[in-house]
Amino acid sequence: HVQLVESGGGSVQDGGSLRLSCAVSGYSYCLGWFRQAPGKEREGVAALDYDGYSRYADSVQGRFKISQDNAKNSLYLQMNLLNPEDTAMYYCAADALDLTSLNPLYPVGFRGQGTQVTVS
């Protein structure tokens, strides 16, 4: 069983930056982030596997960076050059993303309670 607790969301202006954090307890092969905006389907954002291989959605490539601090059991998502299309609830995910396609697999796997990101 994996427990995930996100933090770091908030409101930011167009072009701004935010850093999301996720406290992770338990073992998983793949950690990542997906997001969901009202009325839209879940969208995989970024994923990082146990070997350090990372993958990003085309919509965030070059703007977002996923990283992990094993000593702190934490996962991060640095988000730069945010725009209103990035507005969504962001979820930390464990074994809940297809690492190749980034398709969210949840409810397979685990996710946190989510943290809201609003860009205006």
Side-chain angles (χ1 to χ4, degrees):
H1 184 76
V2 181
Q3 291 185 312
L4 307 162
V5 180
E6 304 97 334
S7 60
S11 297
V12 65
Q13 290 188 337
D14 192 356
S17 299
L18 282 173
R19 187 194 195 205
L20 305 183
S21 299
C22 176
V24 182
S25 63
Y27 172 80
S28 65
Y29 179 75
C30 173
L31 292 171
W33 298 87
F34 68 85
R35 65 188 181 186
Q36 189 165 22
K40 295 187 178 180
E41 294 187 354
R42 291 178 186 142
E43 177 189 18
V45 174
L48 184 67
D49 76 6
Y50 189 79
D51 296 318
Y53 174 77
S54 61
R55 184 174 176 87
Y56 298 90
D58 289 343
S59 58
V60 307
Q61 181 75 46
R63 300 188 297 122
F64 290 12
K65 180 175 174 62
I66 189 170
S67 62
Q68 185 175 14
D69 186 333
N70 291 324
K72 296 182 178 180
N73 294 321
S74 294
L75 181 74
Y76 305 101
L77 185 68
Q78 177 65 45
M79 306 185 295
N80 299 324
L81 297 175
L82 286 161
N83 60 65
E85 294 295 311
D86 296 316
T87 295
M89 185 72 78
Y90 283 70
Y91 297 92
C92 181
D95 297 330
L97 289 168
D98 183 294
L99 189 60
T100 301
S101 67
L102 281 183
N103 286 333
L105 303 174
Y106 191 80
V108 174
F110 305 91
R111 68 161 172 86
Q113 82 286 353
T115 186
Q116 178 68 37
V117 172
T118 302
V119 186
S120 60

